């Protein structure tokens, strides 16, 4: 990281720390020994993202991470507090529905498929000897349906408890770490030698608020609400079945008992929704409060209701027999329909916010958040439906659930089969735009050939080398086409999902049987779509599990997953508490505290450089600094997605206004980018009469072909090795010169890139 094997940890721990070369330790106390050069310093945060292989298993909760991203994608608009709050409420309700969907899917597998259908069928029990003690033919204590359901409820209850444990454990490592109050530090920064420029922002942007990176209170509230929602879902599945039986039969348990239980369930559910709708977080200060009544009593009350539901269902009902599917499969249809309506309302709110402050660079005209939220719902449906389909096929042996014939189990709700059937249709729809992108990229690469040869002024160009450079540049430009693909997938998912709901409700059968009388061709297509879709979602889920397990043993796979972790977990858990933890809640305070402490103790200035995701961390850390400290900082970014990705997808936080304010508040800023980089790009700041920010596109490769000075072919670097470009050293020296010569020895804070290594 520092170009020297001898390094010393200056501050931090094994998770994240600041390092220097051993010879530079204490350079501030002995400046003569160092000379005029800067003191390089590196911040390593790799263990926050990919240090532990077990973290790869968080990929199984990918829908939670995706919906959390949707929360931060709202358009930026001033003076629209009500609309902003409504946007947040809609996203949090969608996130809550995903928790209910996951728990309901596990209940479908454990309670319906295993305990109700398979354990109640002698032929299925005969194939699964481990279910023998649940069989009615055995006449044991557990043979009654209610008792089987109460026992099977341990599986989804354990899952909800595991999610609570993981969220609470990561909360202890991230959100519970209270950041320093930089305005009241022991070594406040010296007054800025350079006065604030005219037009400098008087109010910090959102990422600069003191409590933005301290989500302890909000995560605690959401964790309590989602945990309670999970327990209530299990309680409804167990107790609801018993209550329905008591209302329809003259059994030993009075029907009013079931009604009383359902009323308590509804009241507790209303309390959960109320907690989710109320944000419960203040970013304008370090909010250290904990809502004890919510965090303690709400999950405990839901767990108590679940226990009562298990006792109620286990009450002896000798004449109760399980047949067909467990009643209540309409829950999945209601969930899918509710998610679709919430996404539509969210889209309406986002459009209203965008119209108040339209910005051409904003992704999908402000609809980035709703499209991503729709993708989160689709991922949740595919993953949960895939598990149910695979388990049903496994239990049924040679039969096909839902198709009649030799099937011994009814199978999962027909909606899951309809959802599986639309997946091949969605893939066929995607085939056309993907083909169009491939053709357009090839044409663009051919058109670039003459420009590239003219750029390098080659008298005898090499056609192969020209094609290589042109292909890489054209492929890197595909990043800007990603919003269209995301919009297409999201829109198709919304309409196909609505069609699946209508088809399942109207027919009440799986697609293969619902279209029996539509002709041989249509019937065969429906059966093929159903089988293919079920296979695809099953294989997709298995791939997720396999990839997660591989990360325990394979370091390269762990790094790959770490890149996904970097992108998806930069933002705090403001929508879903079971999403992977936000590493920036540790990294940003670390960086800002180090910068503020150094400028305060040495009265000097520094250059903080960051590559890729590290540049986003660097900008967020600079926003957290007091005004005086920001004027002592120069910012050097390269391969930075701060505008190309973050500015377009998260306009309320990295939009043009926020980046302009950052440019005005720091001493100076320089950004390097390449046309061959698929991630980084220019920051597009209108500098006016001031010094420009962007420098690029840099030449890549540096040399077109073989020369005497470069006898071997130069590689096309793309997103990596910006420091190998001579422009890097030139621009860093220029920033140091612009900071002024009469300063203490500067420290260059090096922020790592997305691979977990130093980028400075």
């Amino acid at each position: 990281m520092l170009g020297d094997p001898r390094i010393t940890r200056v501050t931090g721990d094994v998770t994240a720390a600041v390092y220097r070369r051993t010879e530079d330790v204490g350079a501030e106390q002995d400046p003569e020994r160092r000379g005029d050069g800067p003191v390089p310093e590196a911040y390593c945060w790799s263990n926050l993202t990919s240090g532990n292989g077990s973290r790869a298993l968080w990929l199984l909760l990918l829908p939670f991470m995706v919906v959390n991203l949707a929360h931060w994608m709202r358009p930026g608009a001033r003076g629209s507090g009500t609309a902003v709050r409504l946007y947040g409420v809609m996203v949090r309700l969608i996130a809550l529905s995903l928790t209910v969907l996951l728990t309901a899917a596990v209940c479908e597998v454990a309670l319906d498929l295993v305990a109700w259908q398979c354990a109640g069928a002698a032929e299925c029990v005969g194939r699964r000897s481990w279910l023998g003690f649940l069989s009615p033919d055995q006449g044991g204590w557990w043979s009654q349906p209610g008792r089987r359901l109460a026992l099977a409820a341990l599986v989804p209850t354990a899952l909800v408890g595991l999610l609570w444990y993981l969220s609470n454990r990561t909360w202890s490592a991230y959100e519970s770490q209270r950041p320093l109050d930089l305005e009241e530090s022991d070594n406040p920064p010296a007054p800025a030698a350079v006065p604030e420029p005219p037009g400098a922002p008087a109010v910090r942007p959102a990422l600069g608020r003191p409590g933005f990176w301290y989500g302890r209170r909000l995560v605690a509230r959401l964790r309590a609400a989602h945990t309670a929602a999970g327990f209530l879902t299990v309680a409804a599945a167990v107790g609801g079945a018993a209550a329905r039986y008591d209302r329809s039969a003259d059994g030993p348990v009075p029907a009013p008992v079931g009604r009383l239980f359902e009323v308590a369930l509804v009241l507790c559910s209303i309390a959960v929704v109320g907690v989710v709708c109320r944000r419960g977080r203040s970013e304008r200060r370090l909010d250290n409060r904990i809502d004890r009544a919510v965090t303690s009593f709400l999950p405990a009350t839901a767990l108590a209701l679940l226990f009562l539901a298990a006792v109620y269902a286990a009450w002896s009902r000798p004449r109760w027999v399980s047949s067909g599917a467990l009643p209540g499969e309409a829950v999945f249809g209601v969930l899918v329909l509710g998610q679709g309506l919430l996404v539509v309302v969210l889209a309406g709110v986002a459009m209203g916010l965008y119209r108040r402050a339209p910005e051409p660079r904003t992704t999908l005209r402000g609809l980035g958040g709703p499209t991503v939220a729709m993708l989160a719902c689709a991922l949740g449906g595919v993953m949960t439906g895939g598990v149910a389909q695979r388990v049903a096929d496994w239990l049924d042996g040679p039969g096909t659930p839902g198709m009649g014939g030799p099937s011994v189990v009814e199978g999962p709700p027909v909606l899951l089969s309809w959802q599986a059937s639309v997946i091949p249709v969605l893939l066929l729809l995607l085939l056309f735009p993907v083909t169009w992108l491939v053709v357009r990229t090839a044409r663009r690469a051919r058109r670039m050939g003459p420009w590239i040869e003219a750029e390098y002024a080659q008298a005898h160009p090499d056609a192969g080398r020209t094609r290589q450079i042109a292909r890489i540049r054209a492929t890197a430009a595909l990043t800007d086409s990603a919003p269209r693909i995301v919009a297409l997938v999201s829109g198709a998912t919304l309409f196909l999902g609505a069609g699946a709901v209508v088809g399942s409700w109207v027919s009440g059968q799986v697609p293969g049987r619902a279209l029996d009388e539509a002709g041989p061709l249509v019937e065969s297509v429906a059966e093929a779509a159903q089988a293919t879709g079920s296979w695809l979602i099953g294989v997709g889920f298995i791939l997720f599990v396999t990839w997660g397990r591989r990360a325990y043993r394979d370091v390269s796979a762990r790094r790959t997953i770490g890149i996904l972790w970097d992108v998806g977990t930069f933002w705090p858990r403001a929508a879903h508490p079971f999403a992977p933890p936000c590493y920036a809640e540790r990294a940003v305070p670390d960086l800002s505290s180090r910068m503020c402490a150094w400028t305060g103790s040495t009265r000097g200035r520094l250059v903080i450089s960051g590559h890729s995701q590290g540049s986003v961390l660097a900008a967020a850390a600079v926003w957290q600094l007091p005004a005086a400290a920001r004027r002592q900082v120069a910012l050097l970014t390269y391969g930075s997605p701060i505008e190309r990705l973050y500015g377009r997808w998260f306009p309320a936080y990295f939009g043009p206004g926020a980046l302009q304010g950052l440019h005005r508040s720091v001493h100076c800023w320089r950004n390097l980018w390449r046309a061959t980089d698929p991630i980084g790009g220019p920051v597009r700041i209108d500098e006016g009469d001031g010094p420009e920010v962007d420098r690029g596109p840099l030449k890549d490769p540096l040399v077109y072909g073989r020369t005497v000075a470069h006898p071997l072919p130069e590689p096309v670097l793309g997103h990596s090795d910006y420091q190998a470009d001579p422009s890097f050293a030139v621009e860093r020296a220029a920033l140091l010169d612009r900071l002024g010569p009469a300063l203490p020895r500067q420290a260059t804070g090096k922020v790592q890139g997305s691979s977990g290594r130093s980028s400075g």
Side-chain angles (χ1 to χ4, degrees), residues 408-440:
V408 297
V409 297
E410 187 75 15
V414 295
L415 175 60
L416 299 183
S417 298
W418 279 87
Q419 287 178 326
S421 301
V422 303
I423 292 178
V425 180
L426 178 62
L427 294 179
L428 288 175
L429 290 177
L430 286 177
L431 182 62
F432 297 101
V434 169
T435 303
W436 176 76
L437 281 177
V438 171
V439 172
R440 191 186 70 166

Side-chain angles (χ1 to χ4, degrees), residues 58 163-171 219 223 573 577-578:
W58 282 102
L163 293 176
W164 175 89
Y165 168 75
L166 291 175
S167 179
N168 185 68
R169 177 183 171 187
T170 54
W171 165 81
V219 174
R223 182 173 60 248
R573 293 184 282 192
F578 299 154

Side-chain angles (χ1 to χ4, degrees), residues 437 440-446 448 452 467-479 481 644 675-676:
L437 281 177
R440 191 186 70 166
T441 301
R443 290 178 177 176
R444 178 181 294 176
R446 285 197 297 268
M448 285 182 180
I452 292 173
R467 283 195 301 269
Q468 178 196 20
I469 300 172
R471 184 178 64 253
I472 294 175
R473 288 188 181 182
T475 304
L478 285 176
T479 301
S481 301
R644 189 180 187 183
T676 56

Side-chain angles (χ1 to χ4, degrees), residues 550-607:
R550 182 186 170 198
Y552 278 99
R553 307 178 181 91
D554 191 339
V555 176
S556 63
R558 194 178 308 165
R559 289 200 186 106
T560 302
I561 294 172
I563 295 173
L564 301 177
W565 187 283
D566 283 356
V567 175
T569 59
F570 170 78
W571 297 97
R573 293 184 282 192
H576 207 300
F578 299 154
C582 168
Y583 65 88
E585 295 207 357
R586 164 73 189 268
V588 171
D590 278 359
L591 281 170
S592 56
S593 300
R594 177 60 180 167
M595 288 190 289
C596 192
W598 193 89
T599 54
S601 60
T602 66
R603 300 299 188 260
R605 297 179 184 174
L606 58 85
V607 174

